[in-house]
Coordinates of all heavy atoms in Angstrom, one line a residue:
M443 N -25.1 12.9 -11.4 CA -25.3 11.9 -12.4 C -24.7 10.6 -11.9 O -23.5 10.6 -11.5 CB -24.6 12.3 -13.7 CG -24.7 11.2 -14.8 SD -23.9 11.9 -16.2 CE -24.5 10.9 -17.4
W444 N -25.4 9.5 -11.9 CA -25.0 8.3 -11.3 C -24.5 7.3 -12.4 O -25.2 7.2 -13.4 CB -26.1 7.6 -10.5 CG -25.7 6.4 -9.7 CD1 -25.0 6.4 -8.5 CD2 -25.8 5.1 -10.1 NE1 -24.8 5.1 -8.1 CE2 -25.2 4.3 -9.1 CE3 -26.3 4.5 -11.2 CZ2 -25.2 2.9 -9.2 CZ3 -26.2 3.1 -11.3 CH2 -25.7 2.4 -10.3
S445 N -23.4 6.6 -12.2 CA -23.0 5.6 -13.1 C -22.8 4.3 -12.3 O -22.7 4.3 -11.1 CB -21.6 6.0 -13.7 OG -21.7 7.2 -14.4
A446 N -22.8 3.2 -13.0 CA -22.7 1.9 -12.4 C -21.4 1.8 -11.7 O -20.4 2.3 -12.2 CB -22.9 0.8 -13.5
P447 N -21.3 1.0 -10.6 CA -20.1 0.8 -9.9 C -19.1 0.1 -10.9 O -19.5 -0.7 -11.7 CB -20.4 -0.1 -8.8 CG -21.9 0.2 -8.5 CD -22.5 0.5 -9.9
G448 N -17.8 0.4 -10.8 CA -16.8 -0.2 -11.6 C -16.5 0.6 -12.8 O -15.5 0.4 -13.5
T449 N -17.3 1.7 -13.1 CA -16.9 2.6 -14.2 C -16.0 3.7 -13.7 O -16.0 4.0 -12.5 CB -18.2 3.1 -14.9 OG1 -18.9 3.9 -13.9 CG2 -19.0 2.1 -15.4
R450 N -15.3 4.3 -14.5 CA -14.3 5.3 -14.1 C -15.0 6.6 -13.5 O -14.4 7.3 -12.7 CB -13.5 5.8 -15.3 CG -12.5 4.8 -15.8 CD -11.3 4.6 -14.9 NE -10.3 5.6 -14.9 CZ -9.3 5.5 -14.0 NH1 -9.2 4.5 -13.2 NH2 -8.3 6.4 -14.0
S451 N -16.2 6.8 -13.9 CA -16.9 8.1 -13.5 C -17.5 7.9 -12.1 O -18.0 8.9 -11.6 CB -17.9 8.5 -14.5 OG -18.9 7.5 -14.7
W452 N -17.6 6.8 -11.6 CA -18.3 6.6 -10.3 C -17.2 6.3 -9.2 O -16.4 5.5 -9.4 CB -19.2 5.4 -10.4 CG -20.0 5.3 -9.2 CD1 -21.2 6.0 -8.8 CD2 -19.8 4.3 -8.1 NE1 -21.6 5.5 -7.6 CE2 -20.8 4.5 -7.2 CE3 -18.9 3.4 -7.8 CZ2 -20.9 3.8 -6.0 CZ3 -18.9 2.7 -6.7 CH2 -20.0 2.9 -5.8
P453 N -17.2 6.8 -8.0 CA -18.0 7.9 -7.5 C -17.3 9.3 -7.5 O -17.8 10.2 -6.9 CB -18.1 7.5 -6.0 CG -16.8 6.8 -5.7 CD -16.4 6.1 -7.0
C454 N -16.3 9.4 -8.3 CA -15.5 10.6 -8.3 C -15.9 11.6 -9.3 O -15.4 12.7 -9.4 CB -14.0 10.3 -8.6 SG -13.3 9.2 -7.3
A455 N -16.9 11.3 -10.2 CA -17.3 12.3 -11.2 C -17.7 13.6 -10.7 O -17.3 14.6 -11.2 CB -18.5 11.7 -12.0
P456 N -18.5 13.7 -9.5 CA -18.8 15.1 -9.1 C -17.6 15.9 -8.7 O -17.6 17.1 -8.9 CB -19.7 14.8 -7.8 CG -20.2 13.4 -8.0 CD -19.2 12.7 -8.8
L457 N -16.5 15.3 -8.2 CA -15.3 16.0 -7.9 C -14.7 16.6 -9.1 O -14.1 17.7 -9.1 CB -14.4 15.1 -7.1 CG -14.8 14.6 -5.8 CD1 -13.7 13.6 -5.3 CD2 -14.9 15.7 -4.8
R458 N -14.7 15.8 -10.2 CA -14.0 16.3 -11.4 C -14.7 17.5 -12.0 O -14.1 18.2 -12.8 CB -13.9 15.1 -12.4 CG -13.0 14.1 -11.9 CD -12.7 13.1 -13.1 NE -11.9 12.0 -12.5 CZ -12.4 10.8 -12.4 NH1 -13.6 10.5 -12.9 NH2 -11.7 9.8 -11.9
R459 N -16.0 17.6 -11.8 CA -16.8 18.7 -12.4 C -16.6 20.0 -11.7 O -16.8 21.1 -12.3 CB -18.3 18.4 -12.5 CG -18.6 17.4 -13.6 CD -20.0 17.2 -13.7 NE -20.4 16.4 -12.6 CZ -21.1 15.3 -12.7 NH1 -21.7 15.0 -13.8 NH2 -21.3 14.5 -11.7
R460 N -16.1 20.0 -10.5 CA -15.9 21.3 -9.8 C -14.7 22.0 -10.4 O -13.8 21.4 -10.9 CB -15.7 21.0 -8.3 CG -16.9 20.6 -7.6 CD -16.6 20.6 -6.1 NE -17.4 19.5 -5.6 CZ -17.0 18.7 -4.6 NH1 -15.8 18.8 -4.1 NH2 -17.8 17.7 -4.2
A461 N -14.7 23.3 -10.3 CA -13.6 24.1 -10.8 C -12.3 23.7 -10.0 O -12.3 23.8 -8.8 CB -13.9 25.6 -10.7
G462 N -11.3 23.4 -10.7 CA -10.0 23.1 -10.1 C -9.9 21.7 -9.5 O -8.9 21.3 -9.1
A463 N -11.0 20.9 -9.5 CA -11.0 19.6 -9.0 C -10.2 18.6 -9.9 O -9.8 17.6 -9.4 CB -12.4 19.1 -8.7
G464 N -10.1 18.9 -11.1 CA -9.4 18.0 -12.1 C -8.0 17.7 -11.7 O -7.5 16.6 -11.7
A465 N -7.3 18.8 -11.3 CA -5.9 18.7 -10.9 C -5.8 17.9 -9.6 O -4.9 17.0 -9.4 CB -5.3 20.0 -10.7
R466 N -6.7 18.1 -8.7 CA -6.7 17.3 -7.4 C -7.0 15.9 -7.6 O -6.4 15.0 -7.0 CB -7.7 17.9 -6.4 CG -7.2 19.3 -5.8 CD -8.1 19.7 -4.6 NE -9.5 19.8 -4.9 CZ -10.1 20.9 -5.4 NH1 -9.5 22.0 -5.6 NH2 -11.4 20.8 -5.6
A467 N -7.9 15.6 -8.5 CA -8.3 14.2 -8.8 C -7.1 13.5 -9.5 O -6.8 12.4 -9.1 CB -9.5 14.1 -9.7
T468 N -6.4 14.2 -10.4 CA -5.2 13.6 -11.0 C -4.1 13.4 -10.0 O -3.4 12.3 -10.1 CB -4.7 14.5 -12.2 OG1 -5.8 14.7 -13.1 CG2 -3.6 13.9 -12.9
E469 N -3.9 14.3 -9.1 CA -2.9 14.2 -8.1 C -3.2 13.1 -7.2 O -2.3 12.3 -6.8 CB -2.7 15.5 -7.3 CG -1.6 15.5 -6.3 CD -1.5 16.8 -5.5 OE1 -1.9 17.8 -6.0 OE2 -1.0 16.7 -4.4
A470 N -4.4 13.0 -6.8 CA -4.8 11.9 -5.9 C -4.6 10.5 -6.6 O -4.2 9.5 -5.9 CB -6.3 12.0 -5.5
Q471 N -4.9 10.4 -7.9 CA -4.7 9.2 -8.6 C -3.3 8.8 -8.7 O -2.9 7.7 -8.5 CB -5.4 9.3 -10.0 CG -5.3 8.0 -10.8 CD -6.1 6.9 -10.1 OE1 -7.1 7.1 -9.5 NE2 -5.5 5.7 -10.1
S472 N -2.4 9.8 -8.9 CA -1.0 9.5 -9.0 C -0.4 9.1 -7.6 O 0.4 8.2 -7.6 CB -0.2 10.7 -9.5 OG -0.2 11.8 -8.6
V473 N -0.9 9.6 -6.6 CA -0.5 9.2 -5.2 C -1.0 7.8 -5.0 O -0.3 6.9 -4.5 CB -1.0 10.1 -4.1 CG1 -0.8 9.6 -2.7 CG2 -0.3 11.5 -4.2
A474 N -2.2 7.5 -5.4 CA -2.8 6.1 -5.2 C -2.0 5.1 -6.1 O -1.7 4.0 -5.6 CB -4.2 6.1 -5.7
D475 N -1.6 5.5 -7.3 CA -0.7 4.7 -8.1 C 0.6 4.4 -7.5 O 1.1 3.3 -7.5 CB -0.5 5.3 -9.5 CG -1.8 5.3 -10.3 OD1 -2.7 4.5 -10.0 OD2 -1.9 6.1 -11.3
R476 N 1.2 5.4 -6.8 CA 2.5 5.2 -6.1 C 2.3 4.3 -5.0 O 3.2 3.4 -4.8 CB 3.0 6.6 -5.6 CG 3.7 7.4 -6.7 CD 4.3 8.7 -6.1 NE 5.2 8.4 -5.1 CZ 5.4 9.1 -4.0 NH1 4.6 10.1 -3.7 NH2 6.3 8.8 -3.1
I477 N 1.3 4.4 -4.2 CA 1.0 3.5 -3.1 C 0.8 2.1 -3.6 O 1.4 1.1 -3.0 CB -0.1 4.0 -2.2 CG1 0.3 5.3 -1.5 CG2 -0.5 3.0 -1.2 CD1 -0.8 6.0 -0.8
D478 N 0.0 1.9 -4.6 CA -0.2 0.6 -5.2 C 1.1 0.0 -5.6 O 1.4 -1.2 -5.4 CB -1.1 0.6 -6.4 CG -2.6 0.9 -6.0 OD1 -2.9 0.8 -4.8 OD2 -3.4 1.3 -6.9
K479 N 2.0 0.8 -6.2 CA 3.3 0.3 -6.7 C 4.2 -0.1 -5.5 O 4.8 -1.2 -5.5 CB 4.0 1.3 -7.5 CG 5.4 0.8 -8.0 CD 6.1 1.9 -8.8 CE 7.4 1.4 -9.2 NZ 8.2 2.4 -9.9
L480 N 4.1 0.7 -4.4 CA 4.9 0.3 -3.2 C 4.4 -1.0 -2.6 O 5.2 -1.9 -2.3 CB 4.7 1.4 -2.1 CG 5.5 2.7 -2.4 CD1 5.0 3.8 -1.3 CD2 7.0 2.5 -2.3
I481 N 3.1 -1.2 -2.6 CA 2.6 -2.4 -2.0 C 2.9 -3.6 -2.8 O 3.2 -4.7 -2.3 CB 1.1 -2.2 -1.7 CG1 0.8 -1.2 -0.6 CG2 0.4 -3.6 -1.4 CD1 -0.6 -0.8 -0.5
A482 N 2.7 -3.5 -4.1 CA 2.9 -4.6 -5.0 C 4.3 -4.9 -5.4 O 4.7 -6.1 -5.6 CB 2.1 -4.4 -6.3
E483 N 5.2 -3.9 -5.5 CA 6.5 -4.1 -6.1 C 7.7 -3.9 -5.1 O 8.7 -4.5 -5.3 CB 6.7 -3.2 -7.3 CG 5.7 -3.5 -8.4 CD 5.9 -2.6 -9.6 OE1 6.8 -1.8 -9.6 OE2 5.0 -2.6 -10.4
E484 N 7.5 -3.1 -4.1 CA 8.6 -2.8 -3.2 C 8.6 -3.5 -1.9 O 9.6 -3.9 -1.4 CB 8.7 -1.3 -3.0 CG 9.1 -0.5 -4.3 CD 9.3 0.9 -4.1 OE1 9.7 1.3 -2.9 OE2 9.1 1.7 -5.0
I485 N 7.4 -3.7 -1.3 CA 7.3 -4.3 0.0 C 7.7 -5.8 0.0 O 8.4 -6.3 0.8 CB 6.0 -4.0 0.7 CG1 5.9 -2.5 1.0 CG2 5.8 -4.8 1.9 CD1 4.6 -2.1 1.6
P486 N 7.1 -6.6 -0.9 CA 7.4 -8.0 -0.9 C 8.9 -8.4 -1.0 O 9.3 -9.2 -0.2 CB 6.6 -8.6 -2.1 CG 5.5 -7.6 -2.3 CD 6.0 -6.3 -1.9
P487 N 9.7 -7.8 -1.9 CA 11.1 -8.1 -1.9 C 11.8 -7.8 -0.5 O 12.7 -8.5 -0.1 CB 11.7 -7.3 -3.0 CG 10.6 -7.0 -3.9 CD 9.4 -6.9 -3.0
K488 N 11.4 -6.6 0.1 CA 12.0 -6.3 1.3 C 11.6 -7.3 2.4 O 12.4 -7.6 3.3 CB 11.5 -4.9 1.7 CG 12.2 -3.8 0.9 CD 11.7 -2.4 1.2 CE 12.3 -1.4 0.3 NZ 12.1 0.0 0.7
L489 N 10.4 -7.8 2.4 CA 10.0 -8.8 3.3 C 10.7 -10.1 3.1 O 11.1 -10.7 4.1 CB 8.4 -9.0 3.2 CG 7.8 -9.8 4.2 CD1 7.9 -9.2 5.6 CD2 6.3 -10.0 3.9
E490 N 11.0 -10.4 1.9 CA 11.7 -11.6 1.6 C 13.2 -11.6 2.1 O 13.8 -12.6 2.4 CB 11.7 -11.9 0.1 CG 10.3 -12.4 -0.4 CD 10.3 -12.6 -1.9 OE1 11.3 -12.4 -2.5 OE2 9.2 -12.8 -2.4
R491 N 13.7 -10.3 2.1 CA 15.1 -10.2 2.6 C 15.2 -10.0 4.1 O 16.4 -10.0 4.6 CB 15.7 -8.9 1.9 CG 16.0 -9.1 0.4 CD 16.8 -8.0 -0.1 NE 16.2 -6.7 0.1 CZ 15.5 -6.0 -0.8 NH1 15.2 -6.5 -2.0 NH2 15.0 -4.8 -0.5
D492 N 14.1 -9.9 4.8 CA 14.2 -9.8 6.2 C 14.6 -11.1 6.9 O 13.8 -12.1 6.8 CB 12.8 -9.3 6.8 CG 12.8 -9.0 8.2 OD1 12.7 -9.9 9.1 OD2 13.1 -7.8 8.5
T493 N 15.7 -11.2 7.5 CA 16.3 -12.4 8.1 C 15.4 -13.0 9.2 O 15.3 -14.2 9.3 CB 17.7 -12.2 8.5 OG1 17.8 -11.2 9.4 CG2 18.6 -11.9 7.3
S494 N 14.9 -12.1 10.1 CA 14.1 -12.6 11.2 C 12.8 -13.3 10.6 O 12.4 -14.4 11.1 CB 13.7 -11.5 12.1 OG 14.8 -10.9 12.6
Y495 N 12.2 -12.7 9.6 CA 11.0 -13.3 9.0 C 11.4 -14.7 8.4 O 10.7 -15.7 8.5 CB 10.4 -12.4 8.1 CG 9.3 -13.0 7.3 CD1 8.1 -13.4 7.9 CD2 9.3 -13.1 5.9 CE1 7.1 -14.0 7.2 CE2 8.3 -13.6 5.2 CZ 7.2 -14.1 5.8 OH 6.1 -14.6 5.1
Q496 N 12.5 -14.7 7.6 CA 12.9 -15.9 7.0 C 13.2 -17.0 7.9 O 12.9 -18.2 7.7 CB 14.1 -15.6 6.1 CG 13.8 -14.8 4.9 CD 12.7 -15.3 4.0 OE1 12.6 -16.5 3.7 NE2 11.8 -14.5 3.6
N497 N 13.9 -16.7 9.1 CA 14.1 -17.7 10.1 C 12.8 -18.2 10.7 O 12.7 -19.4 11.0 CB 15.0 -17.1 11.2 CG 16.4 -16.9 10.7 OD1 16.9 -17.5 9.8 ND2 17.1 -16.0 11.4
A498 N 11.9 -17.4 11.0 CA 10.6 -17.8 11.5 C 9.9 -18.7 10.5 O 9.2 -19.7 10.9 CB 9.8 -16.6 11.9
M499 N 10.0 -18.4 9.2 CA 9.3 -19.2 8.2 C 10.0 -20.6 8.2 O 9.3 -21.6 8.0 CB 9.4 -18.5 6.8 CG 8.5 -17.3 6.7 SD 6.8 -17.7 6.6 CE 6.7 -18.6 5.0
A500 N 11.3 -20.6 8.3 CA 12.0 -21.9 8.1 C 11.9 -22.7 9.4 O 11.8 -24.0 9.3 CB 13.4 -21.6 7.7
N501 N 12.0 -22.1 10.5 CA 12.2 -22.9 11.8 C 11.0 -22.8 12.7 O 11.0 -23.6 13.7 CB 13.4 -22.4 12.5 CG 14.7 -22.5 11.6 OD1 14.8 -23.4 10.9 ND2 15.5 -21.4 11.6
G502 N 10.1 -21.9 12.5 CA 9.0 -21.8 13.5 C 7.7 -22.4 13.0 O 7.6 -22.9 11.9
D503 N 6.7 -22.3 13.9 CA 5.4 -22.8 13.5 C 4.6 -21.7 12.8 O 5.2 -20.5 12.7 CB 4.6 -23.3 14.7 CG 4.4 -22.3 15.7 OD1 4.8 -21.1 15.6 OD2 3.8 -22.6 16.8
R504 N 3.4 -21.9 12.4 CA 2.7 -21.0 11.6 C 2.4 -19.7 12.4 O 2.5 -18.6 11.9 CB 1.4 -21.6 11.1 CG 0.6 -20.7 10.3 CD -0.7 -21.4 9.8 NE -1.4 -20.5 8.9 CZ -2.2 -20.9 8.0 NH1 -2.4 -22.2 7.8 NH2 -2.9 -20.0 7.3
Q505 N 2.1 -19.8 13.7 CA 1.8 -18.7 14.5 C 3.0 -17.8 14.7 O 2.9 -16.6 14.6 CB 1.2 -19.2 15.9 CG 0.8 -18.0 16.8 CD 0.3 -18.5 18.1 OE1 0.3 -19.7 18.4 NE2 -0.2 -17.6 18.9
N506 N 4.1 -18.4 15.0 CA 5.4 -17.6 15.1 C 5.7 -16.9 13.8 O 6.2 -15.7 13.8 CB 6.5 -18.4 15.6 CG 6.3 -18.8 17.1 OD1 5.6 -18.1 17.8 ND2 6.9 -19.9 17.5
A507 N 5.6 -17.6 12.7 CA 5.9 -17.0 11.4 C 4.9 -15.8 11.2 O 5.4 -14.8 10.6 CB 5.7 -18.0 10.3
R508 N 3.7 -15.9 11.5 CA 2.7 -14.8 11.3 C 3.1 -13.6 12.2 O 3.1 -12.5 11.8 CB 1.3 -15.3 11.7 CG 0.2 -14.2 11.6 CD 0.2 -13.6 10.1 NE -0.6 -12.5 10.0 CZ -1.7 -12.4 9.3 NH1 -2.0 -13.4 8.5 NH2 -2.4 -11.3 9.2
I509 N 3.5 -13.9 13.4 CA 3.9 -12.8 14.4 C 5.1 -12.1 13.8 O 5.2 -10.9 13.8 CB 4.1 -13.3 15.8 CG1 2.8 -13.8 16.4 CG2 4.9 -12.3 16.6 CD1 3.0 -14.6 17.7
E510 N 6.1 -12.9 13.4 CA 7.3 -12.2 12.8 C 7.0 -11.5 11.5 O 7.6 -10.5 11.2 CB 8.4 -13.3 12.6 CG 9.7 -12.7 12.3 CD 10.2 -11.6 13.3 OE1 10.1 -11.9 14.5 OE2 10.7 -10.6 12.8
H511 N 6.1 -12.0 10.7 CA 5.7 -11.4 9.5 C 5.1 -10.0 9.8 O 5.5 -9.0 9.2 CB 4.6 -12.2 8.7 CG 4.0 -11.4 7.6 ND1 2.8 -10.7 7.9 CD2 4.3 -11.3 6.3 CE1 2.4 -10.2 6.7 NE2 3.3 -10.5 5.8
D512 N 4.2 -9.9 10.8 CA 3.6 -8.6 11.2 C 4.7 -7.7 11.7 O 4.7 -6.5 11.4 CB 2.5 -8.8 12.2 CG 1.4 -9.6 11.6 OD1 1.3 -9.7 10.4 OD2 0.5 -10.1 12.4
E513 N 5.6 -8.2 12.5 CA 6.7 -7.3 13.0 C 7.6 -6.8 11.9 O 8.0 -5.6 11.8 CB 7.5 -8.0 14.1 CG 6.7 -8.2 15.4 CD 7.4 -9.0 16.4 OE1 8.6 -9.4 16.2 OE2 6.8 -9.2 17.5
A514 N 8.0 -7.7 11.0 CA 8.8 -7.3 9.8 C 8.1 -6.3 8.9 O 8.7 -5.3 8.5 CB 9.2 -8.6 9.0
L515 N 6.8 -6.5 8.7 CA 6.1 -5.6 7.9 C 6.1 -4.2 8.6 O 6.2 -3.2 7.9 CB 4.7 -6.1 7.7 CG 3.8 -5.4 6.6 CD1 4.5 -5.4 5.3 CD2 2.5 -6.1 6.5
G516 N 5.9 -4.2 9.9 CA 5.9 -2.9 10.6 C 7.3 -2.2 10.5 O 7.3 -1.0 10.3
R517 N 8.4 -3.0 10.6 CA 9.7 -2.4 10.4 C 9.9 -1.8 9.0 O 10.4 -0.7 8.8 CB 10.8 -3.4 10.6 CG 10.9 -3.8 12.1 CD 12.2 -4.7 12.3 NE 12.1 -5.9 11.6 CZ 11.7 -7.1 12.1 NH1 11.1 -7.1 13.3 NH2 11.7 -8.2 11.4
I518 N 9.4 -2.5 8.0 CA 9.5 -2.1 6.6 C 8.7 -0.8 6.4 O 9.2 0.2 5.8 CB 9.1 -3.2 5.6 CG1 10.1 -4.3 5.7 CG2 8.9 -2.7 4.2 CD1 9.6 -5.6 5.0
I519 N 7.4 -0.8 6.8 CA 6.6 0.4 6.6 C 7.1 1.6 7.4 O 7.1 2.7 6.8 CB 5.1 0.1 7.1 CG1 4.5 -1.0 6.2 CG2 4.3 1.3 7.1 CD1 4.3 -0.6 4.8
T520 N 7.6 1.4 8.6 CA 8.2 2.5 9.3 C 9.4 3.1 8.6 O 9.5 4.3 8.5 CB 8.6 2.0 10.7 OG1 7.5 1.5 11.4 CG2 9.3 3.1 11.5
A521 N 10.2 2.2 8.1 CA 11.4 2.7 7.3 C 10.9 3.5 6.0 O 11.5 4.5 5.7 CB 12.3 1.6 6.9
M522 N 9.9 3.0 5.4 CA 9.4 3.6 4.2 C 8.8 5.0 4.5 O 8.9 5.9 3.7 CB 8.4 2.7 3.5 CG 9.1 1.5 2.9 SD 7.9 0.4 2.1 CE 7.7 1.2 0.5
V523 N 8.1 5.1 5.6 CA 7.4 6.3 6.0 C 8.5 7.4 6.3 O 8.4 8.5 6.0 CB 6.5 6.1 7.2 CG1 6.0 7.5 7.8 CG2 5.2 5.3 6.7
K524 N 9.6 6.9 7.0 CA 10.7 7.8 7.2 C 11.3 8.3 6.0 O 11.7 9.5 5.9 CB 11.8 7.1 8.1 CG 11.3 6.9 9.5 CD 12.4 6.2 10.3 CE 12.0 6.0 11.7 NZ 13.1 5.3 12.5
D525 N 11.4 7.5 4.9 CA 12.0 7.9 3.7 C 11.0 8.7 2.8 O 11.5 9.6 2.1 CB 12.4 6.6 2.9 CG 13.6 5.9 3.5 OD1 14.3 6.6 4.3 OD2 13.8 4.8 3.2
D526 N 9.7 8.4 2.9 CA 8.8 9.0 2.0 C 7.5 9.4 2.8 O 6.6 8.6 2.9 CB 8.4 8.1 0.9 CG 7.5 8.7 -0.2 OD1 7.3 9.9 -0.1 OD2 7.1 8.0 -1.1
A527 N 7.5 10.6 3.4 CA 6.5 11.0 4.2 C 5.1 11.1 3.5 O 4.1 11.1 4.2 CB 6.8 12.3 4.9
Q528 N 5.1 11.2 2.2 CA 3.9 11.3 1.5 C 3.1 10.0 1.5 O 1.9 9.9 1.1 CB 4.1 11.7 0.0 CG 3.6 13.0 -0.3 CD 3.7 13.3 -1.8 OE1 4.4 12.6 -2.5 NE2 3.2 14.4 -2.2
L529 N 3.7 8.9 1.9 CA 3.0 7.6 1.9 C 1.8 7.7 2.8 O 0.8 7.1 2.6 CB 4.0 6.5 2.4 CG 3.4 5.1 2.5 CD1 3.0 4.6 1.1 CD2 4.4 4.1 3.1
Y530 N 1.9 8.5 3.9 CA 0.8 8.7 4.8 C 0.4 10.1 4.6 O -0.4 10.7 4.8 CB 1.1 8.4 6.2 CG 1.1 6.9 6.5 CD1 2.3 6.2 6.5 CD2 -0.1 6.3 6.7 CE1 2.3 4.8 6.7 CE2 -0.1 4.9 7.0 CZ 1.1 4.2 7.0 OH 1.1 2.9 7.2

């Protein structure tokens, strides 16, 4: 059964109808919610506290700030993966 894009039943509805798939769909949604929360609420403050990134923003040009942003984000994500292996 097909539903319009943007509705809750599309494209995961066939998964929910299978036996035992309801628990997996719920678990997958809770993991997705955790990742959304990490991205929206936890990473930005950590990035703001990164001194190398802040120095590049204040004293460097746009290209250097972008490079340092990417490196700082890599450090933050690496630390988060070490703390919470379920992120990946």
Side-chain angles (χ1 to χ4, degrees):
M443 176 179 197
W444 186 83
S445 298
T449 61
R450 287 292 280 176
S451 62
W452 185 82
C454 298
L457 294 176
R458 290 190 189 114
R459 281 185 284 227
R460 290 188 213 141
R466 287 191 304 269
T468 304
E469 182 181 336
Q471 184 62 38
S472 67
V473 170
D475 290 342
R476 281 185 57 221
I477 292 172
D478 288 344
K479 182 180 177 187
L480 286 172
I481 291 170
E483 297 175 11
E484 293 186 27
I485 292 176
K488 290 180 180 187
L489 190 60
E490 289 175 5
R491 289 191 304 261
D492 189 273
T493 56
S494 298
Y495 173 62
Q496 291 304 317
N497 288 337
M499 288 289 291
N501 303 319
D503 62 0
R504 185 176 178 155
Q505 183 179 6
N506 288 336
R508 178 60 189 241
I509 291 169
E510 189 53 46
H511 168 270
D512 293 346
E513 290 176 2
L515 194 57
R517 289 189 298 268
I518 292 167
I519 295 294
T520 301
M522 291 176 83
V523 169
K524 287 179 182 178
D525 292 341
D526 187 3
Q528 246 186 353
L529 182 62
Y530 283 97

